[in-house]
Structures are given as C-alpha cells and as structure tokens.
Amino acid sequence: ADYTITVDPSDRGPAIDDTMYGVFYEDINRAADGGLYAELVQNRSFEYSTADNASYTPLTAWTADGPAEVLNDDGRLNERNRHYLSLAAGSTVTNTGYNTGIHVEKGERYDFSVWARADDGTTLAVTLRDAAGPLAKVRQVAARGKWRKYTATFTATRTSNRGRLAVATTAPAALDMVSLFPRDTYRHQPNGLRKDLAEKIEALDPGFLRFPGGCLVNTGSMEDYSADSGWQRKRSYQWKDTIGPVEERATNANFWGYNQSYGLGYYEYFRFAEDIGAMPLPVVPALVTGCGQNRAVDDDALLKRHIQDTLDLIEFANGPRTSEWGGKRAEMGHPKPFHLTHLEVGNEENLPKEFFARFEQFRAAIEAEYPDITVVSNSGPDDSGTTFDTAWQLNRDAGVDMVDEHYYNSPQWFLQNNDRYDSYDRNGPKVFLGEYASQGNAWKNALAEAAFMTGLERNADVVKLASYAPLLSNEDYVQWSPDLIWFNNHASWGSANYEVQKLFMNNTGDRVVPSSATGTPAVSGPITGAVGLSTWATGAAYDDVRVTSADGETLLSDDFSGDASQWTHTGAGSWTVQDGQYVQTDAAAENTMVTAGDPAWHDYDLHVRATKKSGK
Ligand code: AHR
C-alpha cells in the first residue's frame, strides 16, 4: 500500500540528551569475576563458602597435590580476608580459572602475585601450563618470614584457554590472594578490566553507566551490617566494602548464587565510567528487599547508617582530596572528582509505601547536603498494576525528579507499546528506563527493541535515560538470558540487540523532528535467512557448521565433506575445501551463505568448529 511520511525540519520537538542511552551493568552471569574483572584466578583468596553457593568449598577451583588446608584463625592476612591456605612442604595447589581454564595468548605478559608467610629460605615454584605442557617459564619466589606480597611476570610461549596456575612450596607456607592478571588490561590499568569486554562496552558510546545492579544491590541480610563483631558473610551490597587495597576487600555472597570478590569495586566502576565518557549512576540499597522478597527492615540506626554511607559515597565521588572520603579516592589514584550527578535509591521495590518512607529520608539527607544531585526513585518490579500505580502516585505527589521503570516483555509487546510514553504527564517525574529487554537475542528481538526506542526518543522530554539489561553474560554461568554481550574465557561477542544499542548510542540526535505517516508499511515477500562467517586470518578453517532453530531442528549443516557450493563470498580472499574443512587461503575474505526463507530462521543457534584461531 502507498504511505507517506511527512517531516518538517523547521518543526522542533524535544531535545535529546547526550546521556539518553546508557548501559546497565550488574554483577550477574559472572559479569565481574570471570568476566569484566581481568583476574584469571578463581577463588584467589580461598573465601568461597556454602554461604555463597551450597556446592562451594574453600578449595573450589583449586586442586591440591599433597597436604593443603584452608584455615581461618589468628594467622590470617587481615580481619577482612579471613581464610588462607596452609600448604605443607612439597605440596602443590593448582587453580583451574574460569570456563575451560586460564586463557593466555602467545607473547603476552601476565603478572602473578601472591601474599605468603613462610620461613626464610622457602621457595615457591609457580607454573603456568596446560595438559600439553608449559605455557611459560617456571618462576621461583623466595619467601621471607611474615606476610608479604611477592610478584613475578610470565610471558606466554603458547596460546591456550585451558591453562592452569600451580604453586608448589619447598617448606610449609601460608598463601593468600593468589593472582594472575594479563598485563594487557583495558587501558593497561592495574587491577584492571578485561580488554575485549571493556572495549565492547566503550564501543557502544554509552551516555551513562548504572551499576552495580539490580537485585544484587538491595537483597541480603541487611541486619548483618549493624553487627560490628567481626566480618559477617552475606551482607547486603555496601560500596565501602569494595574500595581500598584488594587484599583488604572482603568477598561476599552474590545475590545470583556465587561469590563476589569485590576486586571490581566502586573505584573501578567510577574509573570505567570516566574512561568511556559515561555519567556514573550508582544504585544504593534502600533497606527494603525487592526482587521477590517482601521485607522492609525496621531499624532506625541501620537506616541512618545507610543514609550516611550514601552521603559518604557522594563525598567519595565528588569531595576534595582533603575530605575523608575524597581522600580515599585520591589515595587510590584519582585526586580529581568523578562528577557524580545522579544516584538511585533502591531497586524494584515491591513494597511501595515502605520503600517510599525510606526513600524520602535518603532524599532529604542528600538534598540537604548536595542539592545538585538528582535522586532517582523506583516504580516497583512491574511495568503496570497496583504496586506500579501506587509507587508512581507517591513519586508524583512528592515531586520526585526521576523514577526508574523496568520491564522484560515479548517482542510483540515492544512493538505494540511504542506509544507508551506519549501519554505520560509532562509535569511529573522524568523516566529512567533502567532495565528492559524483549526476551530474546534473536534478530526479531533486536528489531522490536529498535522500534520501541524510536518511541523513547520521540518522548525524550519525559524519558531521560534508558538502558537494556542485563549487559554481560559468561556463557558457562548464566543466571539470566537474554543479555547484551556474551563471552567465555577467551572470546566475546555482541548480540543483535547489542548492534541496535550501538546504533542508537553512536547516533543520538540533538532534537526530535516530529513526523507523521499516512499508514503502516506492510512487510511482504519471502523472509530470507543468512549466516555469515567472517575471518581475517589466513589459514582459518571451519568444520561442522550447523544452524539449528530454537526448538532444535537443523536448518543447515555443512561438514565440508563435499564441495562448498552453498557458500558465496564477499570480500577479497579465497577459500578452499581441504581434508573435510573449509580453509581460508589468503587474508581479507568474508564468506556468507544465503538460503531461501523460513521464519524459523529468526530463532537460530549457530554451531561452528573453527580449527584455527582467527583475527575476529
Ligand atoms: O537485569 C536482571 C534483573 O532484572 C535485575 O537484577 C533486576 O533489577 C531485574 O529484576
């Protein structure tokens, strides 16, 4: 059918803020340890416990050859890092890393460190190897008495993603904080981030970074925080636990069922936000447990302490180096402020009245001391219903600046709700769409989200911030799917949804130009699916390419036992079938297979065996 779009460039719609599209980072799906935090050793300080996950022991991710025992006694490294390993003379412990093991790249450098206590003359032999043999030269560390930190550097002689790090001792030794970091972290920062993941996030060009979660933030045993009698496990997420020297950051149970080392903490989040040019937007717990747990903590002293912590957080981010918390930021290496302007209290609070009573106290205290900070409130766990309406009413009545909404719905819902914000009150609180996704990483999901985002943008006077959720997922430790960026221990890849976010974030307009259309264009004709495999490495080879539909039906398979006539090439370069594999014989080739359409192609899994590491 004919249709007409009318655009009048002189007609000026609302301005679109540069911060409009951002990212929501949550430590879920091992987004931090085993993910964005570049540490390669798992359970480096022997703190894993059943409080984190019923299957854990203090030696999870370690194997011992010879007597080795994890102790929690007065000989510990410090009060917050309570467990350490006691290794007998002649014993060896080996760490398995994450996923298939420790990933090292030939020619790259890796910084090893360990805290050890052992008699003078004790030698620690540190080995990096996989089943095929050494991955680097063995390093010797000569221990000298009381707890000290020792370091050594490895240069990998081979590439492997199945590496193991082993420490052997010639005499009894106590070990803690056994660590291995790639030298090549994002921006070469110490205690840094995994480069490929950080760069993928940076490439989005996000306007803001909401962190450190979600449900992660406001659940846990809030009461434990008031206990001053030593370190308590399973505390709610508190930013002060995550700063300072890493060996003094206690680990904690993560809401998503694993241990979080806090090696990636608030300082690192602020630094990352600054590096990628994103506005930092931390979320603090509100003492009401959302995320399915209907509980409000009634403890005035505890509430006051959390409010004070929030004021201290603002001082940590923005205060001068002469202030107490600004001084701690400076000590960690950042004398200049981080320019915090927005802060969220609570997440998905499903007790709106209880939440709001606490939120009001946070807001009053923050506004009294920092009137320029925007305090973001909540609308509950659902995008509609009584809780949602009550929360919005409370927020509206109190003149709250901005309210966080979350929803995870079908692609159809996103297509049907493009007009969601057309009717929002222009004089009420602004919207922070802090979490949304259309329940899938297929192309149709990405497309539905893109369509929905045009509705967000059209309403840029009301919707001020929006972020897809969640951001990261390690493919072997998934609690929540879909996710924007996927990874394992050696590779990462953006979803179709990632490409949509990238497109919008890298092309944010200054102002909406209102438009109207006379009808809705119909999509007709066959739907065509295509699978593209791209590589830039000469000698890269593929085998057993299979595409299956969401319900397991094989849509395409090629084991290259015959010819490769199914494949057409784009790009310069040549490929040939050799020994049942499809091999690239020179560089700069891309090959793409196109097949006739079936809507099932919109939900597919691609399986491919690449028999040589490629440049992409
Ligand atoms: O994004 C995953 C989870 O979804 C978040 O933790 C929570 O806020 C929401 O329920």
Side-chain angles (χ1 to χ4, degrees):
D2 284 343
Y3 62 94
T4 308
I5 297 176
T6 310
V7 178
D8 175 1
S10 65
D11 188 5
R12 291 162 70 79
I16 306 165
D17 297 341
D18 289 343
T19 46
M20 169 110 188
Y21 302 116
V23 288
F24 164 50
Y25 167 90
E26 173 161 28
D27 185 0
I28 183 174
N29 308 319
R30 306 271 180 145
D33 300 320
L36 186 57
Y37 186 48
E39 173 65 81
L40 295 167
V41 174
Q42 187 176 180
N43 189 16
R44 66 182 175 188
S45 65
F46 309 99
E47 298 292 330
Y48 274 30
S49 102
T50 48
D52 312 317
N53 184 299
S55 71
Y56 280 174
T57 74
L59 276 175
T60 292
W62 292 93
T63 53
D65 185 4
E69 195 183 358
V70 175
L71 301 178
N72 176 7
D73 59 22
D74 291 348
R76 64 178 68 92
L77 181 58
N78 61 57
E79 275 311 293
R80 300 201 125 202
N81 196 334
R82 296 182 72 81
H83 295 84
Y84 65 93
L85 183 72
S86 168
L87 203 55
S91 290
T92 305
V93 278
T94 303
N95 192 268
T96 56
Y98 295 93
N99 302 92
T100 52
I102 291 172
H103 171 63
V104 293
E105 299 254 354
K106 183 176 175 182
E108 291 294 330
R109 289 198 287 173
Y110 295 86
D111 291 320
F112 166 81
S113 62
V114 64
W115 283 78
R117 176 167 49 73
D119 288 344
D120 283 10
T122 305
T123 301
L124 303 176
V126 191
T127 315
L128 192 54
R129 56 180 301 129
D130 65 7
L135 290 164
K137 268 201 202 145
V138 176
R139 299 282 155 203
Q140 309 275 359
V141 170
R144 289 174 291 119
K146 62 180 187 160
W147 283 112
R148 270 179 228 273
K149 184 178 178 179
Y150 301 95
T151 60
T153 300
F154 290 101
T155 301
T157 50
R158 281 192 292 122
T159 293
S160 172
N161 56 33
R162 294 173 185 275
R164 301 285 184 267
L165 181 82
V167 183
T169 183
T170 55
L175 305 182
D176 210 341
M177 296 300 288
V178 185
S179 169
L180 187 71
F181 262 83
R183 176 74 55 89
D184 193 19
T185 55
Y186 174 68
R187 297 194 179 210
H188 298 282
Q189 285 158 340
N191 196 44
L193 307 183
R194 196 174 123 174
K195 196 174 169 189
D196 59 330
L197 292 175
E199 287 181 348
K200 280 200 172 59
I201 298 169
E202 182 176 37
L204 287 167
D205 192 19
F208 65 87
L209 172 70
R210 177 179 182 239
F211 64 90
C215 287
L216 173 81
V217 169
N218 58 345
T219 50
S221 305
M222 308 282 185
E223 294 89 336
D224 285 350
Y225 196 24
S226 54
D228 282 319
S229 54
W231 176 248
Q232 303 289 319
R233 292 308 302 261
K234 220 162 184 173
R235 298 148 59 101
S236 59
Y237 194 108
Q238 293 144 32
W239 76 271
K240 286 180 183 172
D241 291 341
T242 76
I243 62 161
V246 285
E247 66 276 8
E248 289 171 21
R249 301 183 197 178
T251 76
N252 195 7
N254 177 302
F255 171 79
W256 297 103
Y258 52 91
N259 178 278
Q260 52 192 347
S261 74
Y262 288 149
L264 178 50
Y266 260 65
Y267 176 80
E268 289 78 21
Y269 290 129
F270 277 121
R271 182 176 67 180
F272 185 46
E274 181 177 77
D275 288 342
I276 61 177
M279 172 180 90
L281 206 167
V283 187
V284 296
L287 273 78
V288 194
T289 52
C291 298
Q293 305 174 22
N294 293 345
R295 198 163 63 89
V297 180
D298 266 321
D299 179 336
D300 205 43
L302 186 58
L303 179 63
K304 286 200 170 69
R305 186 165 173 176
H306 271 267
I307 291 173
Q308 186 55 50
D309 276 358
T310 305
L311 298 175
D312 294 343
L313 172 61
I314 300 170
E315 186 175 285
F316 178 74
N318 294 352
R321 55 192 304 180
T322 48
S323 62
E324 181 186 353
W325 292 97
K328 291 192 195 294
R329 180 196 69 235
E331 241 170 64
M332 289 185 75
H334 202 287
K336 292 195 179 138
F338 281 123
H339 306 295
L340 178 71
T341 57
H342 289 59
L343 182 142
E344 181 171 357
V345 177
N347 173 73
E348 293 199 357
E349 306 299 349
N350 43 1
L351 296 175
K353 291 191 179 122
E354 290 81 349
F355 161 69
F356 205 74
R358 288 158 183 76
F359 173 82
E360 281 285 60
Q361 296 186 56
F362 275 89
R363 186 172 70 144
I366 295 168
E367 285 182 354
E369 216 167 309
Y370 301 103
D372 294 336
I373 297 280
T374 300
V375 188
V376 182
S377 180
N378 267 253
S379 64
D382 303 309
D383 58 300
S384 59
T386 317
T387 306
F388 180 81
D389 291 345
T390 311
W392 259 102
Q393 195 57 50
L394 290 164
N395 284 309
R396 245 190 314 267
D397 292 349
V400 164
D401 287 331
M402 195 177 274
V403 174
D404 185 6
E405 292 191 348
H406 297 173
Y407 34 86
Y408 298 90
N409 281 313
S410 67
Q412 287 74 14
W413 183 94
F414 279 90
L415 292 175
Q416 284 157 3
N417 284 273
N418 179 282
D419 61 355
R420 176 182 176 95
Y421 296 106
D422 291 357
S423 55
Y424 266 53
D425 180 1
R426 268 43 206 171
N427 300 313
K430 303 299 181 204
V431 172
F432 171 22
L433 176 49
E435 299 180 25
Y436 70 96
S438 76
Q439 294 170 337
N441 277 142
W443 168 236
K444 69 179 174 203
N445 300 92
L447 195 60
E449 287 154 12
F452 186 74
M453 288 169 84
T454 64
L456 301 180
E457 198 154 299
R458 189 173 62 249
N459 288 286
D461 54 332
V462 167
V463 183
K464 286 294 174 190
L465 307 167
S467 43
Y468 179 97
L471 179 63
L472 292 168
S473 186
N474 184 319
E475 65 172 352
D476 290 335
Y477 309 94
V478 182
Q479 283 91 41
W480 188 290
S481 180
D483 302 285
L484 206 61
I485 299 170
W486 290 79
F487 60 91
N488 53 31
N489 61 353
H490 64 285
S492 56
W493 52 99
S495 58
N497 321 58
Y498 171 86
E499 296 302 331
V500 162
Q501 292 294 324
K502 193 168 160 191
L503 195 66
F504 275 74
M505 287 189 220
N506 280 276
N507 299 284
T508 313
D510 296 328
R511 188 168 280 284
V512 176
V513 180
S515 59
S516 59
T518 55
T520 307
V523 178
S524 61
I527 302 169
T528 302
V531 179
L533 292 170
S534 303
T535 177
W536 278 259
T538 303
Y542 293 125
D543 202 354
D544 295 336
V545 176
R546 250 176 336 110
V547 178
T548 53
S549 69
D551 52 13
E553 185 198 353
T554 299
L555 300 167
L556 173 161
S557 73
D558 196 345
D559 63 2
F560 302 104
S561 51
D563 61 20
S565 55
Q566 303 192 82
W567 296 83
T568 58
H569 293 165
T570 58
S574 18
W575 289 75
T576 186
V577 174
Q578 271 174 15
D579 303 328
Q581 295 182 4
Y582 200 36
V583 181
Q584 182 171 14
T585 50
D586 63 17
E590 187 176 358
N591 62 79
T592 305
M593 186 172 87
V594 180
T595 185
D598 174 340
W601 274 94
H602 289 263
D603 273 316
Y604 62 75
D605 291 321
L606 171 65
H607 311 263
V608 56
R609 198 141 60 82
T611 49
K612 180 177 175 185
K613 191 181 147 39
S614 107
K616 190 176 176 192

